[in-house]
Amino acid sequence: MTVDLQAVKTDLYEAVNGEWAKTAQIPADRPATGGFQDLVIDIEKLLMNDLEKFASGEKELPNEQMAQAVKLYQLALDFDRRASEGTVPLQVELDQIEALQSYEDYQSIWHDWLLTGNASPVDFDLDPDMKNAKVYGLYAGAPTLILPEKNYYADDNQQGQALLQVWTTMAEKVLVMVGYDQEIAQKLVTETKVFDARLVPHVKSAEERADYSKMYNPMTVAEFAQATDQLSLSEIIKSLIKTTEAKVIVTEPAYFQALDQILTDHFTEFKSWLTVKTILGDASVLTDDLRIASGEYSRTLSGSQEAVNHQKFAYYFTMSYFGQVIGKYYGETYFGPEAKANVEYMVHQMIKVYQERLENNDWLSPATRQQAIVKLTHLGVQVGYPEKLPAYYEQLKIDTGKSLLANAITLSQQLKAESFSRWNQPVDQTRWEMSAATVNAYYHPFMNIIVFPAAILQAPFYSLQQTSSQNYGGIGAVIAHEISHAFDNNGSLFDEYGNLKNWWTEEDQSHFKVLAEKMIKEFDGLPYAGQSVNGKLTVSENIADAGGLSCALSAAQEEADYNAQAFFLNWARVWRMKATEQYMQLLLSIDVHAPNKLRANVQAQNLAEFYLAFDVQSGDQMYLEPDQRVQIW
């Protein structure tokens, strides 16, 4: 990669990625291309090819779980069969809805529908209890809206109005294709929008959801059940976790305060909402025409030009149920022990740097500093792929005599039932929540664990063929980013076991909030894609980026072949992305990450070493006055 080093002084990101962007083509079935996206494409090609070989017998199946995954893949790929079945597989669910005359009727099917993943007025989920992170707790939240974020519903949001019209046209079209009369389709869609509008004032915005401290609102089942008398919340909880002697962790209290008024005297709209949501949710597994038609709204949102082809659809559909099985196969087959050992070495180097940073921190009090180190030493690390799969995968069986939708319903019910069976059981720290074939990484604050799937552990993020500085500028910064999440504005609220517990002195917390506010101000209002960045929405990720890049730089400096320019150039390279304007604007509204270009440039501007590496001086566009540079960890 040849880079004009003088151009770095003007724009690091453009100097590294500008020439690439001139010729890069966004695939018609995607909203973006670039570093992350290119790896995704490579992996999907690799694994689709392997699934085809498994299906033809050219490649030997490694285990029974993969055999079931291949069966589902073949079933999902059989579009001729789906064409012959038409909408018949959907009729069972539509008949159930049509028979509903009251909320009492809905109560009788609610349990099964929750397990299926169909629309529900309450979203129940299992996760480690934020105040007792050793066991799984029951969470209750609000359903999703039609538009991607509540701010889209504002009267002056023309983009939201346009998107709602796209959704309306699509929904009516799909309902007619399923067999509804045009007039009835319009009525059902209109009533669905009316019910959706009742939810909007009471659900959290993306910015509000980004604050984890407001998620924990525990109630007894009896207290929670008082939210409405239209449905029995205690009865549905008992059906899910087999007891009412439980704590319900409410993530959206304002929604449940309004739930009774949302439901009361609005059963007709609720029933229409169920109907439309169910049809749109199931359409992609019916005929190909319905699959394509039901994706028009999401493609408009992202700017994608066309639906994915049949093979990609089958692949991603299979991944949605057998992602851990396929991920484990991917890790074992394509992620070697040498790479695993090298990445684990880098992780421990990052932890070592972080510990040194904490030990030498000059603004934390001794008590808080010591607790931070305790949290760091308790940090769980998972690299590559899981050693074992959850036992429930042995129970998943594909019935090729049934339709794809019928199999999807059965699989969803089995997976959800297994999830709820873990209520009040010990948290399994070895359990992966992300497929090893996923190009991503994460920190789980309720478990105090960082996870790096095999799929992201390749060039440009990481390669045994890259220099150590390139690797630290890539995967090293990603690793340290995830560690930094343990100490960002959300992660810092949790102790070494993942419990929501204040371990800061009041003075330290106040100082940290001042630093976090500086990070908010540094990004807030930065122009991008015709709009601007929300500093509050992105603050936790920006804090993690800053800590990640800074710590990765320190680790790189300890290596014999350290090269500052190589470090920063690869940092900018991994963030390369060319995307549709629609997709960039969507991310500005809902994504807790800042735009890739700004992540690359602003975080580099915060580090003195960047200025030294490229001789950036006052007057250069990349120059940021020292008092404006933000550093926290």
Side-chain angles (χ1 to χ4, degrees):
M1 179 176 67
T2 303
V3 175
D4 179 355
L5 298 183
Q6 286 298 114
V8 170
K9 299 180 181 184
T10 301
D11 190 318
L12 169 64
Y13 179 89
E14 289 297 330
V16 173
N17 302 308
E19 286 301 312
W20 165 83
K22 289 177 182 178
T23 57
Q25 297 292 317
I26 301 172
D29 62 355
R30 292 182 182 278
T33 189
F36 281 82
Q37 292 81 9
D38 290 348
L39 293 186
V40 170
I41 290 171
D42 289 344
I43 288 169
E44 74 182 19
K45 287 179 180 176
L46 177 70
L47 291 175
M48 285 191 299
N49 184 55
D50 282 2
L51 286 170
E52 288 289 339
K53 288 181 177 179
F54 285 138
S56 67
E58 184 180 342
K59 198 175 178 75
E60 185 178 351
L61 288 161
N63 50 52
E64 178 57 25
Q65 290 92 340
M66 183 62 84
Q68 295 302 318
V70 171
K71 277 188 181 182
L72 184 61
Y73 173 76
Q74 291 175 293
L75 193 59
L77 200 53
D78 192 348
F79 282 84
D80 289 339
R81 172 175 171 175
R82 300 231 293 283
S84 67
E85 291 171 339
T87 60
V88 172
L90 178 64
Q91 202 57 48
V92 174
E93 289 183 313
L94 293 184
D95 288 346
Q96 283 185 307
I97 299 175
E98 186 58 36
L100 302 178
Q101 299 299 316
S102 65
Y103 287 117
E104 185 178 0
D105 289 345
Y106 175 70
Q107 184 88 40
S108 67
I109 67 168
W110 193 10
H111 172 265
D112 289 345
W113 275 55
L114 268 172
L115 296 187
T116 301
N118 286 336
S120 166
V122 182
D123 178 31
F124 290 104
D125 195 17
L126 263 284
D127 222 345
D129 185 322
M130 292 167 67
K131 283 289 184 78
N132 182 20
K134 292 183 179 179
V135 299
Y136 290 106
L138 178 67
Y139 287 74
T144 58
L145 302 174
I146 291 172
L147 296 180
E149 218 284 298
K150 71 181 292 182
N151 294 334
Y152 279 79
Y153 291 85
D155 291 339
D156 60 350
N157 192 318
Q158 295 181 351
Q159 186 181 17
Q161 293 171 17
L163 284 172
L164 192 57
Q165 184 54 54
V166 171
W167 181 88
T168 300
T169 302
M170 176 200 72
E172 290 177 359
K173 176 181 177 181
V174 170
L175 262 65
V176 170
M177 291 173 70
V178 166
Y180 287 89
D181 176 82
Q182 179 69 48
E183 186 176 338
I184 294 176
Q186 289 177 344
K187 176 177 180 292
L188 288 169
V189 170
T190 298
E191 290 173 347
T192 296
K193 291 191 293 183
V194 169
F195 188 78
D196 180 73
R198 297 190 195 284
L199 309 178
V200 175
H202 311 293
V203 300
K204 289 183 177 180
S205 66
E207 183 181 312
E208 290 168 328
R209 287 195 304 274
D211 185 350
Y212 289 7
S213 67
K214 303 290 177 33
M215 287 176 59
Y216 195 79
N217 303 281
M219 297 182 180
T220 64
V221 172
E223 290 170 336
F224 180 65
Q226 293 175 13
T228 181
D229 58 9
Q230 300 301 298
L231 291 164
S232 175
L233 296 176
S234 59
E235 184 180 317
I236 191 64
I237 288 173
K238 186 174 183 179
S239 74
L240 294 173
I241 61 172
K242 314 309 178 191
T243 182
T244 55
E245 298 299 315
K247 172 170 62 177
V248 184
I249 302 166
V250 175
T251 59
E252 301 226 21
Y255 172 75
F256 288 99
Q257 289 169 8
L259 182 59
D260 198 62
Q261 71 181 64
I262 289 171
L263 297 177
T264 302
D265 297 327
H266 301 134
F267 181 76
T268 299
E269 292 94 339
F270 171 73
K271 182 176 176 179
S272 296
W273 179 78
L274 279 181
T275 303
V276 175
K277 285 269 193 172
T278 299
I279 292 171
L280 293 180
D282 291 346
S284 67
V285 297
L286 298 171
T287 69
D288 199 35
D289 287 343
L290 279 167
R291 176 182 76 92
I292 293 170
S294 64
E296 287 176 5
Y297 170 68
S298 63
R299 290 194 294 277
T300 301
L301 262 181
S302 68
S304 299
Q305 298 301 305
E306 62 184 40
V308 298
N309 63 31
H310 289 181
Q311 189 180 21
K312 286 184 185 178
F313 167 79
Y315 168 71
Y316 282 108
F317 184 80
T318 305
M319 283 289 288
S320 67
Y321 294 102
F322 288 91
Q324 295 290 357
V325 172
I326 296 171
K328 190 170 188 292
Y329 161 78
Y330 170 81
E332 291 173 339
T333 307
Y334 298 105
F335 185 62
E338 184 181 1
K340 180 179 173 68
N342 189 245
V343 173
E344 287 174 341
Y345 162 77
M346 291 179 68
V347 172
H348 291 295
Q349 285 295 98
M350 294 292 98
I351 293 173
K352 175 185 169 187
V353 169
Y354 230 106
Q355 182 162 342
E356 291 171 353
R357 291 271 177 109
L358 290 171
E359 289 171 346
N360 297 311
N361 182 283
D362 61 0
W363 59 268
L364 287 175
S365 66
T368 306
R369 189 186 309 129
Q370 184 55 42
Q371 278 304 115
I373 293 171
V374 167
K375 180 172 185 179
L376 185 67
T377 57
H378 278 74
L379 186 69
V381 178
Q382 294 177 350
V383 172
Y385 53 91
E387 294 299 319
K388 63 176 182 177
L389 293 175
Y392 70 80
Y393 275 108
E394 297 174 5
Q395 312 303 318
L396 302 185
K397 305 295 181 185
I398 305 305
D399 186 344
T400 55
K402 294 183 178 179
S403 68
L404 183 62
L405 176 57
N407 275 278
I409 289 172
T410 300
L411 289 170
S412 296
Q413 290 176 338
Q414 288 176 308
L415 293 172
K416 279 282 189 178
E418 188 277 335
S419 174
F420 287 117
S421 73
R422 287 183 274 131
W423 175 78
N424 210 34
Q425 297 299 307
V427 170
D428 182 359
Q429 290 278 348
T430 68
R431 186 183 179 115
W432 283 48
E433 296 184 348
M434 184 179 284
S435 168
T438 303
V439 183
N440 212 329
Y442 67 91
Y443 168 75
H444 197 317
F446 310 169
M447 299 173 75
N448 193 31
I449 191 168
I450 50 177
V451 180
F452 304 99
I456 198 174
L457 303 175
Q458 54 184 316
F461 292 92
Y462 168 80
S463 171
L464 290 170
Q465 279 67 55
Q466 292 182 167
T467 68
S468 67
S469 291
Q470 288 175 309
N471 281 339
Y472 278 113
I475 198 62
V478 173
I479 292 167
H481 169 104
E482 301 305 338
I483 297 172
S484 295
H485 271 312
F487 306 100
D488 68 17
N489 59 305
N490 279 320
S492 61
L493 303 172
F494 298 84
D495 67 12
E496 67 269 29
Y497 301 110
N499 295 307
L500 184 62
K501 179 182 178 182
N502 182 28
W503 45 273
W504 295 64
T505 65
E506 190 173 334
E507 295 79 8
D508 291 339
Q509 204 162 50
S510 296
H511 188 81
F512 178 76
K513 287 180 179 178
V514 170
L515 294 175
E517 190 61 37
K518 288 183 178 180
M519 187 66 78
I520 290 172
K521 288 179 67 176
E522 184 170 38
F523 278 85
D524 197 49
L526 290 177
Y528 194 76
Q531 298 182 4
S532 59
V533 178
N534 182 337
K536 287 186 177 179
L537 174 64
T538 58
V539 61
S540 65
E541 294 296 337
N542 291 332
I543 290 173
D545 273 349
L549 187 62
S550 177
C551 288
L553 178 64
S554 293
Q557 289 171 325
E558 295 184 15
E559 300 294 334
D561 63 343
Y562 169 66
N563 182 301
Q565 291 184 350
F567 175 87
F568 285 107
L569 294 178
N570 203 44
W571 161 255
R573 184 185 175 201
V574 299
W575 295 118
R576 69 169 44 167
M577 183 174 81
K578 185 174 184 178
T580 64
E581 185 175 48
Q582 299 95 315
Y583 187 58
M584 291 187 287
Q585 292 179 346
L586 173 65
L587 294 180
L588 282 171
S589 297
I590 65 172
D591 192 2
V592 292
H593 302 85
N596 285 24
K597 178 176 179 176
L598 299 180
R599 296 178 78 173
N601 281 350
V602 176
Q603 299 301 352
Q605 289 176 298
N606 285 330
L607 297 177
E609 290 85 351
F610 169 72
Y611 297 87
L612 293 172
F614 298 99
D615 190 30
V616 178
Q617 302 290 332
S618 178
D620 293 329
Q621 288 186 35
M622 281 297 292
Y623 186 83
L624 193 64
E625 293 292 343
D627 63 348
Q628 295 178 25
R629 301 171 195 172
V630 182
Q631 295 182 25
I632 299 179
W633 299 114

